Amino acid sequence: MEKEIQRVREEKVTKEEIARAIKQARALFAYGSENISNQGFWLGYSEMFANYEWFLTYLEKLSKVTVKDVQRVANEYFKPQSRVVGVYVPTEGQA
């Protein structure tokens, strides 16, 4: 994972990678919004960190993500000093 984070910070991701990620995110969002319960979840969730407008404009904003956006965000937020890494270690006697 460290190598991939470093790659994104140092190299530009391709337009194809962004297109594939956007397609996947759009599908997950669409499938996750199919029924009224999930729509209610997303509206409540978006209200917690932004507002309900986020829910209404998410797909439009998603389609505007650029290669420069990905690299800018990676360099701003994926710094080693900003990470918390956890390791799960099984307790004795458990497989």
Side-chain angles (χ1 to χ4, degrees):
M1 186 149 172
E2 179 69 33
K3 285 169 57 175
E4 186 64 16
I5 289 171
Q6 198 62 30
R7 181 186 76 84
V8 172
R9 290 186 72 208
E10 292 174 357
E11 303 170 18
K12 290 184 177 178
V13 296
T14 66
K15 289 181 181 180
E16 291 79 19
E17 287 176 295
I18 291 177
R20 190 170 52 247
I22 288 172
K23 183 178 179 180
Q24 184 178 24
R26 290 176 70 89
L28 288 171
F29 187 76
Y31 293 135
S33 304
E34 281 184 338
N35 64 47
I36 195 70
S37 295
N38 287 346
Q39 289 174 14
F41 166 81
W42 279 112
L43 287 169
Y45 184 75
S46 61
E47 209 37 61
M48 287 187 330
F49 69 84
N51 58 43
Y52 80 94
E53 288 287 327
W54 177 92
F55 178 81
L56 301 175
T57 60
Y58 172 70
L59 295 177
E60 177 186 336
K61 290 178 182 175
L62 184 64
S63 66
K64 294 179 182 179
V65 172
T66 67
V67 171
K68 286 183 180 182
D69 291 332
V70 172
Q71 194 165 39
R72 177 182 50 80
V73 169
N75 282 309
E76 187 172 338
Y77 294 102
F78 293 166
K79 299 174 185 174
Q81 64 269 25
S82 300
R83 284 185 216 137
V84 175
V85 178
V87 178
Y88 290 99
V89 179
T91 58
E92 279 189 50
Q94 294 184 357

